[in-house]
Amino acid sequence: MTQSRRMLVLRAVVEDYIRSQEPVGSTSLTKAHDLGVSSATIRNDMAALEDEGYLIQPHTSAGRVPTEKGYRYFVDRLATVVPLSEAQRRGINSFLSGSVSLKDALQRAARLLSEITGQVAVVASPSLAKATLRHVEMVPVAMNTLLAVVITDTGRVAQHGLAVGTMPAIEAINRLSSTVNEQCVGLSLAKAGEKVRAIAESAGFEEVRDVAQSLADAFGSMALDERANELYMSGASHLAHSSSLADLAPLFDALEEQVVLMKLMSNLSEESTASGVGVSIGSESHTPGLLHASVVSSGYGRNTRTEEGDADGSAASIDTNDNEPIAFVGSIGPTHMDYAATMAAVKAVARYLSAFISESGPEQ
């Protein structure tokens, strides 16, 4: 018995179980797959795979089902992410091309991914910590308060109140805004904060020194506040059709823990394999509510360059170090999800969001 044939049997079991969600027996494998050996030989292979922890045999059935270890082997050896269908590609194009803002695009992406996979879709807005400054405006809104409106390269618009002891003349405020926009565009919010502090101490800005210091503090605060990420979620109703009632309560609790979910999916997207997609199966997430679920995640970025056709998952990306993910898109479903299809859908939506950010983000 060869190891390679045994693993072909494992792959066949995983594929059949994903499709039927019924324990898989040697007889059905023999009929459905051309493995070149008898049913008895396959039965021996399945017994060996069970001994090795790749399969388990429910006590109520003669068939076997994959374990987490079995799914992990299967996922790690998905050599290519299959392209989406033409209809699905048109669907993504249609949904995202009609977006009127970044928020609208992210909401649409979550709804669409949920429809494609039949699972829970989660899309995070771009992180302010990884954004760069595109424009800032400061507008007096009260006797001692200015509103700073900060626009980033990813299309995020953040607002921050600036308290001042004495309101400077509007001309001085406008001059400060112009200087900040001239010197800080393209800088991260953290570096922009440092630059604004230097501007505050330079000659000619004495009247707005307090305003500049408050703006620098605001930039620093926004750069550190990962909670500013918003999560757009869709498809929770799909869970009722794919999970047992015993699994639902902890799973919904896990979905409510957005900080935990965000950290998990962000880490997955950054640790993704050559396929550009990260997968966590069951207990690998170290999250009790996701014990019977799998998470598929991919990062999207501002200037991701891809080969022609990659948006449908059919070609490899050509990322550079300058194009690290600024946010993620992912799908959550049962451990018996269709991994190949889910990975393709997640990757495709991530590619379209990258293109949207790159082409349209600054205008949002």
Side-chain angles (χ1 to χ4, degrees), residues 113 120-124 130 231-233 254-255 257-272 276-280 285 287 290 294-300 325 327-333 337 342 346:
L113 182 58
V120 176
V122 181
V123 180
K130 295 178 180 178
L231 284 185
Y232 300 95
M233 201 174 298
L255 294 177
E257 291 291 333
Q258 293 202 356
V259 174
V260 174
L261 202 59
M262 187 177 295
K263 184 175 181 180
L264 168 64
M265 300 186 85
S266 180
N267 288 343
L268 267 184
S269 66
E270 292 174 1
E271 297 167 5
S272 60
V277 184
V279 181
S280 172
S285 69
T287 304
L290 299 175
S294 288
V295 180
V296 177
S297 182
S298 181
Y300 66 89
F328 62 81
V329 53
S331 185
I332 302 171
M337 70 164 62
T342 300
V346 167

Side-chain angles (χ1 to χ4, degrees), residues 3-78:
Q3 182 70 11
S4 59
R5 190 192 67 229
R6 186 186 301 169
M7 291 310 171
L8 287 175
V9 171
L10 173 60
R11 183 185 182 99
V13 172
V14 174
E15 289 175 346
D16 286 6
Y17 185 68
I18 285 173
R19 184 167 54 249
S20 69
Q21 295 172 37
E22 295 289 340
V24 180
S26 57
T27 303
S28 65
L29 277 185
T30 306
K31 293 178 180 178
H33 301 269
D34 184 16
L35 296 169
V37 291
S38 67
S39 177
T41 301
I42 292 177
R43 191 157 51 247
N44 290 335
D45 285 353
M46 293 174 74
L49 288 165
E50 183 176 358
D51 290 341
E52 293 169 359
Y54 291 103
L55 300 177
I56 191 170
Q57 185 174 27
H59 66 277
T60 56
S61 168
R64 290 175 173 83
V65 301
T67 61
E68 283 185 15
K69 183 179 178 180
Y71 285 126
R72 171 50 61 193
Y73 183 92
F74 176 79
V75 168
D76 287 347
R77 281 150 186 81
L78 281 173

Side-chain angles (χ1 to χ4, degrees), residues 277-334:
V277 184
V279 181
S280 172
I281 302 169
S283 62
E284 293 175 355
S285 69
H286 304 292
T287 304
L290 299 175
L291 189 60
H292 303 287
S294 288
V295 180
V296 177
S297 182
S298 181
Y300 66 89
R302 58 174 68 86
N303 289 316
T304 302
R305 294 183 294 115
T306 61
E307 292 180 5
E308 186 176 355
D310 186 54
D312 64 7
S314 60
S317 67
I318 318 174
D319 294 337
T320 69
N321 292 333
D322 295 330
N323 297 323
E324 67 172 284
I326 55 173
F328 62 81
V329 53
S331 185
I332 302 171

Side-chain angles (χ1 to χ4, degrees), residues 81-144:
V81 177
V82 296
L84 297 180
S85 69
E86 181 61 32
Q88 289 170 328
R89 291 198 295 271
R90 284 199 305 268
I92 293 177
N93 264 323
S94 174
F95 260 68
L96 293 188
S97 63
S99 302
V100 297
S101 66
L102 175 63
K103 181 177 180 179
D104 185 33
L106 300 180
Q107 289 174 328
R108 286 169 179 252
R111 289 199 305 270
L112 178 63
L113 182 58
S114 172
E115 289 302 314
I116 293 175
T117 63
Q119 297 164 176
V120 176
V122 181
V123 180
S125 62
S127 164
L128 284 173
K130 295 178 180 178
T132 62
L133 183 67
R134 181 169 178 81
H135 189 76
V136 63
E137 286 287 342
M138 289 181 287
V139 183
V141 292
M143 288 287 290
N144 300 100

